[in-house]
């Protein structure tokens, strides 16, 4: 996870890139678009299959310039019904530099707007899964950076059609071998198809050994033969995907999950007695900042994935535009407390590119290291949630029980009513548990304080040390945040305001010197935190859900999921968790590697006592 990748070197023959390390070209010099059309798109019968699709997954070995992806996107736009969802998974060991990719794609007539959209979200060259969103088209591209065999081995999901597109097998054996093909087979279902430009004997034999039935076809434009294939297995695929899904809770966790499910074609009903962002997500001044730790590759990989997904959601919802809700663009983190200083010193001494360049070392002085997070932002979380809620089916109802039935999930309401859904997601923050053995987070209250100037002007940058300071409009600032472990829901306290003012010392002593700071407001909320400070995201096992009386549970039917425990990191992790849950429910390639998905599983918490105090 998060290993820097080895770059390759290109030589351009006109507009055709040739890679020196493999001595091969990325696409045909004569008719690249025609070749992709024949060898991959038509070989997999995509136009006809797209016309019938509600959700479809294409997998590829070798993203290269992205030409195959963009021509598939074009076919998707022309053939798929409105509202259908495409997930495109592609492995790449040596990502091209953005300028090379741009040159190759523009030369092939890919619309500049599409190329720009990819480049805006182009991942840093570190191994792992990186998602790029095309929300207007209901398309996600997941790049599996690194060697294909171990990369695909860490992907969970199902692919409908494969493009096998490496360099020539003789020059690129790492991509054309049984280890890779076994992973393709693992990610295939009965009937998954493939297309490739080669018919080399060893490729044929290894694909057949992995379970693909193959046929030879004439090569493109007089080239040698190529292959098409179909995966055959007696193992039946997962049960019917859910159609109507309940999301309980209209905070950032529930709303982003509802959006991700709707994007994948589900009917979603959000239930919350208080309406949108009435609890902790009403936070008027939240920071999106990466949660990093030198050497902790799991945490850093999650932080990188979370930053990318939340930024994409901010962009898609218009939050970043001129009328957006961003209060701060960029975050400066000062290591003022001894604990923070040690953490920042270690990060400052490490190579930022190993954490996906999420930070820049601004000042490596061991007495006061300063990091900058260029992708960090500060915003009004409540306003963001209200944007996400637009057009969603949100009902003011309090859920008191969630129970799994034989094939459906039963919600019990406080008003005595009941309703069946195909699946439910519990995203109730610090609210009480709704089903048996639901992991229970610790509740930690906290307060933000709004102050009037005169604070030294900070521009658009948020400052953070132990607390944080976020500029608001009209010269107001928000200071945060306190931690109240004895959370009694007692609302705003003067003591907490004083603590936030004192904390300015730990953000920026120069700010704290300012006299005449007047408190002009305050906000109070309750965090939900699990002991290991990771959220709980995934399905509750059957043993955790009290079954509907008399029902026998059919195996493998997804029913009750949770999205809980975001602590002080709802903006960083909740939209990522939403993608993960939505991918999981529809067996689409997941947004994070399996090992990270397992790290978040609620099952890790079931055996343990989660009411012990976490290290906040
Ligand atoms: C002082 C403070 C500062 C913070 N600063 C930051 C920050 O800088 N950056 C950051 O990312 N995060 C920050 N956070 C945390 C962030 O606000 C939370 O992580 C996030 O809002 C949690 O979202 P949620 O959707 O899980 O929960 P909530 O927003 O609490 O949403 C849960 C919803 O579920 C509903 N609900 C509960 N029970 C039921 C039921 N039985 N039936 C139906 N609905 C129900 C509730 O009404 C509520 O609307 C801060 C939190 C606090 C308190
Ligand atoms: C012929 S190019 C792919 C062209 C591409 N599909 C396009 O549309 O431009 C082959 C790609 O496979 C990548 N590759 C080679 N070996 C790999 C490996 N072991 N794992 C993942 N990708 C690999 C190369 O870096 C290169 O980008």
């Amino acid at each position: 996870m998060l290993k820097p990748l080895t770059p390759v070197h290109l030589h351009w023959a006109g507009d055709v890139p040739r890679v020196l390390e493999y001595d091969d070209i990325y696409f045909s010099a004569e008719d690249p678009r025609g070749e992709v059309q024949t060898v991959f798109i038509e070989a997999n019968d995509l136009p006809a299959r797209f016309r019938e699709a509600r959700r479809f997954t294409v997998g590829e070995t070798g993203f290269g310039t992205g030409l195959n992806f963009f021509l598939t996107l074009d076919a998707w736009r022309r053939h798929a019904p409105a509202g259908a969802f495409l997930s495109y998974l592609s492995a790449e060991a040596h990502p091209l530099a953005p300028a090379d990719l741009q040159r190759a794609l523009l030369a092939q007539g890919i619309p500049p707007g599409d190329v720009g959209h990819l480049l805006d979200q182009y991942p840093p060259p570190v191994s792992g899964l990186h998602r790029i969103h095309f929300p207007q088209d209901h398309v996600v591209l997941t790049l599996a950076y690194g060697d294909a065999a171990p990369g695909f081995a860490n992907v969970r999901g199902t692919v409908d059609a494969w493009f096998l597109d490496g360099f020539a097998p003789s020059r690129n054996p790492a991509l054309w071998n049984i280890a890779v093909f076994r992973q393709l087979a693992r990610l295939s279902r009965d009937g998954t198809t493939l297309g490739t430009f080669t018919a080399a004997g060893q490729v044929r034999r290894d694909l057949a050994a992995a379970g693909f039935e193959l046929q030879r076809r004439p090569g493109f434009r007089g080239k040698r033969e190529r292959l098409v294939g179909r995966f055959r297995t007696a193992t039946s695929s997962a049960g019917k995907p859910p159609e109507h899904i309940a999301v309980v809770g209209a905070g950032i966790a529930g709303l982003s999950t509802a959006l991700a499910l709707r994007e994948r074609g589900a009917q979603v009903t959000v239930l919350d007695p208080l309406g949108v962002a009435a609890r902790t997500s009403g936070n008027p001044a939240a920071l999106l900042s990466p949660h990093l730790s030198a050497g902790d590759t799991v945490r850093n990989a999650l932080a990188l994935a979370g930053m990318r997904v939340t930024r994409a959601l901010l962009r898609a919802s218009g939050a970043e535009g001129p009328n957006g809700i961003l209060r701060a663009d960029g975050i400066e983190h000062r290591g003022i407390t001894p604990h923070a200083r040690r953490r920042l010193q270690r990060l400052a001494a490490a190579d930022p590119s190993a954490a996906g360049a999420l930070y820049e070392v601004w000042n490596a002085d061991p007495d006061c290291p300063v990091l900058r997070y260029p992708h960090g932002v500060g915003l009004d979380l409540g306003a963001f949630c209200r944007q996400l809620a637009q057009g969603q089916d949100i009902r003011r109802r309090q859920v008191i029980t969630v129970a799994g039935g034989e094939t459906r999930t039963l919600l019990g309401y406080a008003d005595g009513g009941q309703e069946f859904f195909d699946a439910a997601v519990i995203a109730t923050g610090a609210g009480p548990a709704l089903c048996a053995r639901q992991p229970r987070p610790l509740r930690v209250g906290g307060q933000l304080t709004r102050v009037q100037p005169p604070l030294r002007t900070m521009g658009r940058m948020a400052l953070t040390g132990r607390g944080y300071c976020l500029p608001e409009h009209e010269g107001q600032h928000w200071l945060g945040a306190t931690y109240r472990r004895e959370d009694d829901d007692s609302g705003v306290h003067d003591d907490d305001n004083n603590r936030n003012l004192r904390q300015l010392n730990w953000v920026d002593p120069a700010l704290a010197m300012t006299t005449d700071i007047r408190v002009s407001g305050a906000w109070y909320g309750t965090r939900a935190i699990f002991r290991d400070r990771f959220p709980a995201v995934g399905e509750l096992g059957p043993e955790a859900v009290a079954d509907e009386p008399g029902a026998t549970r059919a195996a493998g039917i997804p029913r009750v999921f949770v999205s809980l425990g975001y602590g002080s990191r709802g903006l960083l992790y909740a939209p990522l968790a939403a993608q993960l849950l939505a991918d999981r429910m529809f067996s689409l390639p997941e947004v994070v590697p399996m090992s990270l998905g397992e790290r978040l599983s609620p099952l890790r918490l079931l055996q343990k006592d989660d009411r012990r105090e976490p290290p906040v």
Side-chain angles (χ1 to χ4, degrees):
M1 247 168 286
L2 287 187
K3 280 192 235 95
L5 301 174
T6 320
V8 285
H9 300 88
L10 298 191
H11 169 79
W12 290 84
D15 286 325
V16 179
R18 171 176 285 276
V19 59
L20 300 183
E21 283 77 358
Y22 292 86
D23 190 20
D24 204 350
I25 46 178
Y26 282 76
F27 42 70
S28 133
E30 289 83 43
D31 180 8
R33 294 180 68 116
E35 182 163 24
V36 174
Q37 205 63 37
T38 304
V39 172
F40 299 116
I41 295 182
E42 279 157 22
N44 280 292
D45 196 19
L46 292 189
R49 292 168 80 191
F50 281 175
R51 276 193 284 277
E52 302 295 315
R54 285 189 68 191
R55 286 171 281 272
F56 199 90
T57 304
V58 173
E60 178 183 47
T61 54
F63 183 71
T65 64
L67 181 64
N68 292 354
F69 167 72
F70 280 109
L71 295 183
T72 306
L73 178 64
D74 179 58
W76 180 255
R77 285 175 177 157
R78 284 187 289 117
H79 300 293
F85 184 81
L86 175 68
S87 182
Y88 192 106
L89 168 72
S90 187
E92 179 52 63
H94 315 286
L96 290 185
D100 288 330
L101 187 121
Q102 182 176 35
R103 176 172 170 183
L105 289 172
L106 292 180
Q108 295 308 322
I110 302 303
D114 284 344
V115 177
H117 194 77
L118 170 65
L119 291 178
D120 284 348
Q121 302 176 72
Y122 202 54
V126 288
S127 59
L129 299 182
H130 308 292
R131 181 156 284 183
I132 293 164
H133 301 253
F134 291 77
Q136 309 288 355
D137 301 295
H138 290 206
V139 172
V140 295
L141 163 64
T142 308
L143 290 173
Y145 272 4
D147 191 17
F152 280 152
N154 212 356
V155 172
R156 182 163 153 165
T158 306
V159 168
D160 298 307
W162 286 105
F163 298 174
L164 270 53
D165 191 15
F167 295 121
S170 55
R171 297 168 191 207
N172 193 187
L175 206 48
W176 300 95
N177 62 64
I178 187 79
V180 176
F181 300 159
R182 286 212 176 98
Q183 291 309 323
L184 306 190
R186 188 184 63 78
L187 291 166
S188 297
R189 58 172 173 76
D190 189 44
T192 291
T193 56
L194 72 77
T196 181
F197 62 85
T198 181
Q202 169 259 325
V203 171
R204 270 199 332 268
R205 285 188 295 279
D206 284 350
L207 278 172
F212 289 91
E213 285 176 358
L214 301 166
Q215 289 182 330
R216 296 174 207 230
R217 291 270 191 278
F220 182 70
R221 279 198 165 194
K223 284 193 193 162
R224 276 175 299 179
E225 290 178 315
R226 62 189 170 93
L227 295 175
V228 295
R230 189 172 285 275
F231 186 66
R232 286 294 174 215
T233 174
T235 315
S236 62
S237 51
K240 208 162 114 358
E243 296 276 342
H244 189 188
I245 302 168
V247 172
V248 189
I252 182 71
L255 293 167
S256 53
T257 302
L259 263 185
L261 292 169
R262 281 162 56 102
E263 192 184 23
R264 286 154 183 75
Q267 184 194 346
V268 183
T269 300
V270 181
L271 301 142
D272 195 315
L274 305 176
V276 172
R279 289 289 189 187
T280 318
S281 298
N283 186 335
L287 297 183
L288 168 66
S289 69
H291 191 195
L292 296 170
S293 185
D296 186 341
T297 52
V298 170
R299 199 175 291 283
N300 295 353
L302 275 172
L304 179 58
M307 290 295 292
R308 292 177 55 78
V309 168
T310 303
R311 288 299 305 238
L313 188 61
L314 285 167
R315 199 173 303 125
S317 65
E320 289 190 346
N323 304 318
I325 50 161
L326 295 196
R327 300 267 180 260
D329 218 343
I331 297 175
E332 192 166 296
H333 192 162
R334 298 168 179 213
I336 294 178
T337 64
H339 171 73
R341 187 159 45 229
R342 277 195 300 278
R343 197 159 68 84
L344 267 53
Q345 279 163 351
R346 282 197 292 271
L347 282 165
D351 175 5
S353 65
L358 284 176
Y359 66 95
E360 294 161 0
V361 181
W362 208 248
N363 175 6
D365 173 2
D367 288 332
C368 184
V370 178
L371 301 186
R372 282 197 170 171
Y373 304 125
H375 310 292
V377 292
L379 51 81
D380 180 339
L381 181 55
F384 183 36
C385 286
R386 287 187 286 282
Q387 282 188 345
L388 299 182
Q390 280 169 25
Q392 300 220 37
D393 171 20
I394 300 174
R395 301 192 199 150
R396 284 189 179 249
R397 279 189 106 166
Q398 186 179 354
V399 178
I400 52 169
T401 54
V402 175
E406 186 176 358
T407 56
R408 310 200 74 199
T409 300
L410 182 65
L411 265 56
Y413 297 124
D415 58 20
Q418 291 191 328
E419 198 170 356
F420 277 107
F421 293 88
D422 297 323
V425 181
I426 300 175
T428 48
L434 300 180
C435 59
R437 300 186 66 218
Q438 174 184 322
R440 287 159 174 76
L442 189 88
R443 293 162 54 92
V444 178
Q447 190 167 314
L448 305 176
T449 303
R450 192 170 188 246
V451 293
Q452 282 272 3
L455 282 182
R456 182 165 61 87
T457 172
M458 307 179 340
R460 291 270 289 165
M461 185 81 79
L463 299 181
T464 170
R466 182 156 120 186
Y468 61 89
C469 180
L470 186 66
E472 211 207 29
H473 50 77
E474 290 165 12
Q476 307 263 354
H477 295 73
W478 280 100
L479 307 180
T482 58
Y483 289 85
R484 229 187 284 156
R485 287 151 200 258
E486 298 308 318
D487 179 44
D488 51 7
D489 248 342
S490 57
V492 166
H493 289 202
D494 285 346
D495 267 6
D496 283 54
N497 284 339
N498 292 334
R499 228 173 294 154
N500 277 332
L501 285 167
R502 278 199 303 277
Q503 247 176 201
L504 261 182
N505 262 320
W506 301 103
V507 178
D508 180 354
L511 283 179
M513 301 286 284
T514 317
T515 50
D516 294 338
I517 297 181
R518 192 169 66 76
V519 172
S520 59
W523 174 86
Y524 169 84
T526 304
R527 306 174 183 86
I529 306 181
F530 291 113
R531 190 177 24 79
D532 59 7
R533 300 174 78 194
F534 280 112
V537 184
E539 188 177 6
L540 290 180
E543 72 281 7
V545 182
D547 272 336
E548 193 190 334
T552 49
R553 190 184 176 211
I557 295 168
R559 299 182 310 175
V560 181
F561 298 77
V562 295
S563 175
L564 294 168
Y566 293 101
S568 300
R569 305 272 173 192
L571 259 176
L572 180 61
Y573 291 133
L576 176 69
Q579 294 287 314
L580 180 60
L581 286 179
D583 290 337
R584 176 95 36 99
M585 280 196 217
F586 296 108
S587 301
L588 298 164
E590 295 186 358
V591 63
V592 290
M594 258 192 292
S595 50
L596 290 191
E598 278 157 21
R599 188 71 192 75
L600 303 182
S601 166
L603 303 182
R604 79 184 192 275
L605 301 163
L606 287 182
Q607 308 304 323
K608 298 175 185 161
D609 175 12
D610 291 295
R611 273 159 280 192
R612 265 182 293 161
E613 202 168 285
V616 176

